[in-house]
Amino acid sequence: MNNDAVPDFFRRLWRLPTAPARLGRRSTLDVETVVASAVRLADEGGLEAATLPKVAKELDVTPMSLYRYVGSKQELLQLMLDAASPPRTPAAEPSGWREGMRLWASDLWELYTDRPWIPRVPIYRSPSGPNQIAWLERGFAQLADTGLDWGDKLMVLTLLTGFVRHSALLAQDLEEGRSDHSETEDKDGYARALRALVTPEHYPHTAEMLASAALLPSDEPAGAAVRADFDAGLELVLDGLAHQLPEDA
């Protein structure tokens, strides 16, 4: 491979060899060290704990010195995202595209649950790093026998990724909002207030929903209820996909 044809960002992302500096003392840092430190800070304190100044302080260097290894703050985030997203292999071979995509999405959900800062990384570009490409490859493998063309396969993976990412962020935001109140108090107060304000004359469908059992408190732990909502939503997405596939897929 001609490394000269690969842009610097991709060289760092894929850990390709780079030309050493010709002058000055040889640095003790490298891309791997900088990114590993940033990921560790994010795991401990969230995305806001892994800024360039904080990473530099952790490594006892100046923030400006890091630009040699990460290019920019946006690039650091992309390097962190890929490094923190190792591919996961199913314990057993899925039986069919639906089970395969269900496991794919569930494993992505687990990744976002284990490292909640990952879905908060702004999306600056399409998947580019080796770990992201490995996730893409696994998804393509599950769709290989569906009869979908490449554009449709990309659309499926984009849709599922967006669903998982949004679900994870929503779960995080709701958890933060409940930090000072119990889930039962939140749902009870929400339902009571809306029942007093939402009248059947102006909002007939919403009023009917509020009168139903949809907002009754659940006996399930909050985490279990969130996962159940995710699983139910995922099945709806897969149902929609099933209607687009040939009958023999």
Side-chain angles (χ1 to χ4, degrees):
M1 175 175 27
N2 180 12
N3 286 349
D4 292 337
V6 181
D8 286 344
F9 167 67
F10 285 89
R11 292 160 68 96
R12 289 188 280 263
L13 193 59
W14 286 78
R15 306 297 194 270
L16 299 181
T18 56
R22 295 182 179 179
L23 300 175
R25 181 186 304 173
R26 185 174 181 177
S27 175
T28 58
L29 291 182
D30 55 23
V31 174
E32 194 69 41
T33 301
V34 174
V35 174
S37 179
V39 168
R40 184 171 61 255
L41 289 173
D43 285 343
E44 294 172 355
L47 206 55
E48 63 277 6
T51 62
L52 279 169
K54 291 178 180 178
V55 174
K57 183 178 180 181
E58 178 79 2
L59 296 172
D60 195 26
V61 297
T62 64
M64 287 301 297
S65 68
L66 296 182
Y67 285 104
R68 175 182 170 188
Y69 307 98
V70 298
S72 67
K73 63 180 181 180
Q74 290 84 3
E75 183 178 313
L76 173 63
L77 292 175
Q78 300 308 303
L79 291 166
M80 292 168 57
L81 171 62
D82 193 73
S85 306
R88 302 187 178 192
T89 303
E93 186 65 25
S95 58
W97 71 266
R98 182 163 186 144
E99 182 184 357
M101 294 315 302
R102 182 187 297 117
L103 291 173
W104 185 89
S106 295
D107 283 347
L108 192 59
W109 166 271
E110 293 295 339
L111 172 65
Y112 290 168
T113 301
D114 294 342
R115 285 179 152 154
W117 59 269
I118 290 182
R120 297 194 177 276
V121 174
I123 299 175
Y124 294 112
R125 60 173 71 234
S126 301
S128 304
N131 284 337
Q132 291 175 295
I133 297 300
W135 280 95
L136 199 63
E137 178 69 15
R138 177 182 163 188
F140 283 146
Q142 305 311 314
L143 298 171
D145 297 327
T146 60
L148 295 173
D149 62 29
W150 285 111
D152 287 338
K153 290 175 183 177
L154 277 171
M155 188 180 302
V156 169
L157 297 185
T158 300
L159 173 65
L160 282 175
T161 301
F163 168 73
V164 178
R165 183 173 185 266
H166 174 75
S167 297
L169 289 173
L170 180 61
Q172 290 180 34
D173 290 343
L174 289 175
E175 179 61 28
E176 291 177 6
R178 288 195 299 262
S179 59
D180 295 330
H181 304 280
S182 72
E183 183 178 10
T184 300
E185 291 172 343
D186 285 347
K187 282 193 173 182
D188 282 350
Y190 175 79
R192 281 197 304 271
L194 284 189
R195 288 191 193 104
L197 297 168
V198 177
T199 62
E201 292 77 17
H202 293 93
Y203 311 99
H205 300 293
T206 307
E208 185 177 353
M209 182 277 293
L210 290 170
S212 73
L215 295 182
L216 289 178
S218 172
D219 293 332
E220 290 184 301
V226 168
R227 181 57 197 252
D229 287 344
F230 168 76
D231 288 339
L234 177 59
E235 293 306 315
L236 286 177
V237 175
L238 295 176
D239 284 344
L241 174 56
H243 284 289
Q244 303 300 316
L245 298 181
E247 292 183 3
D248 58 349

